[in-house]
Amino acid sequence: DQQVKQNSPSLSVQEGRISILNCDYTNSMFDYFLWYKKYPAEGPTFLISISSIKDKNEDGRFTVFLNKSAKHLSLHIVPSQPGDSAVYFCAASAANDYKLSFGAGTTVTVRA
Amino acid sequence: DAGVTQSPTHLIKTRGQQVTLRCSPKSGHDTVSWYQQALGQGPQFIFQYYEEEERQRGNFPDRFSGHQFPNYSSELNVNALLLGDSALYLCASFLGADNEQFFGPGTRLTVL
């Protein structure tokens, strides 16, 4: 039962443009959402998170938007850089539950 | 400050064998989670250890077991290996109520 879904397996974007990654979830108990970035041969590294009490969180070039009514979140990367080429995972957890539920990932390729 | 470390990096086993994977958490972290990442999928939660006890478990059979030591390091054991156990096994650590989990580089297990 996949509770977190990333429906776009891949995304190609030109350097300097915006990358938008989408994520949907089905479990209404989820109240904390995270994005992880993964390079080959490395473990996922934390990128940005958002609590369900907010609808937006920004950190430098990265912004996460949360739409609770639609059970949807998105990650915006502006401007995209070649070093952003990686697999991005959306993850979620419920209150008092430190287990993370992950989506299948979106592979981002930033073209020069 | 060393992050999360895992050993070995790669491992090849045959069906029916047993395997032990090891994880050292990030300094100061007391909780360790294990995840299985099959090819093309996101990490799937196996179980979590806190204070040397299994605190939470995902939907994995009893062939998967673990242990946490007094220094917070952890082991994942898999008995009676199946071809489907071939995957990247990730260890993540964190402290208490902090939701951000730090991942190790993983152990790539191949079952032939």
Side-chain angles (χ1 to χ4, degrees):
Chain A
D1 179 23
Q2 195 74 9
Q3 299 185 60
V4 178
K5 297 180 182 179
Q6 294 176 256
N7 292 319
S8 297
S10 62
L11 172 69
S12 180
V13 62
Q14 195 162 11
E15 182 178 1
R17 306 296 292 267
I18 184 172
S19 293
I20 299 177
L21 291 78
N22 294 303
C23 177
D24 298 295
Y25 62 96
T26 57
N27 188 341
S28 58
M29 300 301 290
F30 287 152
D31 69 345
Y32 195 75
F33 304 88
L34 310 89
W35 285 93
Y36 280 84
K37 175 180 180 180
K38 186 179 186 301
Y39 294 117
E42 295 183 12
T45 55
F46 171 77
L47 198 55
I48 192 170
S49 64
I50 187 167
S51 165
S52 60
I53 63 173
K54 296 185 176 181
D55 54 17
K56 176 183 175 181
N57 188 28
E58 191 171 354
D59 183 1
R61 297 186 298 113
F62 303 92
T63 303
V64 57
F65 296 91
L66 175 62
N67 183 333
K68 290 186 291 293
S69 61
K71 293 190 176 68
H72 176 84
L73 63 156
S74 61
L75 174 68
H76 292 206
I77 307 173
V78 183
S80 299
Q81 299 175 353
D84 296 332
S85 295
V87 180
Y88 289 77
F89 291 102
C90 172
S93 67
N96 300 318
D97 182 352
Y98 301 112
K99 170 186 70 180
L100 294 178
S101 296
F102 284 85
T106 296
T107 300
V108 172
T109 303
V110 180
R111 310 185 310 272
Chain B
D1 174 28
V4 180
T5 60
Q6 292 185 243
S7 63
T9 305
H10 295 88
L11 204 52
I12 299 175
K13 292 285 188 178
T14 57
R15 281 178 297 174
Q17 284 189 310
Q18 178 265 343
V19 68
T20 297
L21 311 181
R22 296 176 175 82
C23 170
S24 291
K26 182 177 170 63
S27 178
H29 287 181
D30 59 4
T31 306
V32 172
S33 294
W34 286 93
Y35 292 82
Q36 180 196 65
Q37 185 183 5
L39 199 60
Q41 298 182 20
Q44 299 291 313
F45 176 77
I46 302 175
F47 43 52
Q48 183 182 96
Y49 277 85
Y50 173 70
E51 292 188 342
E52 302 180 51
E53 297 284 336
E54 183 183 289
R55 180 162 71 176
Q56 194 173 6
R57 189 177 183 92
N59 189 25
F60 278 80
D62 292 343
R63 297 187 298 108
F64 289 76
S65 63
H67 188 78
Q68 186 179 35
F69 299 94
N71 66 354
Y72 306 122
S73 66
S74 177
E75 288 182 349
L76 163 65
N77 301 292
V78 187
N79 294 322
L81 284 167
L82 303 174
L83 295 179
D85 295 332
S86 295
L88 179 68
Y89 288 85
L90 295 163
C91 169
S93 74
F94 61 102
L95 175 65
D98 190 351
N99 287 61
E100 181 184 339
Q101 299 190 19
F102 291 78
F103 283 83
T107 294
R108 172 73 61 188
L109 172 64
T110 302
V111 182
L112 302 176

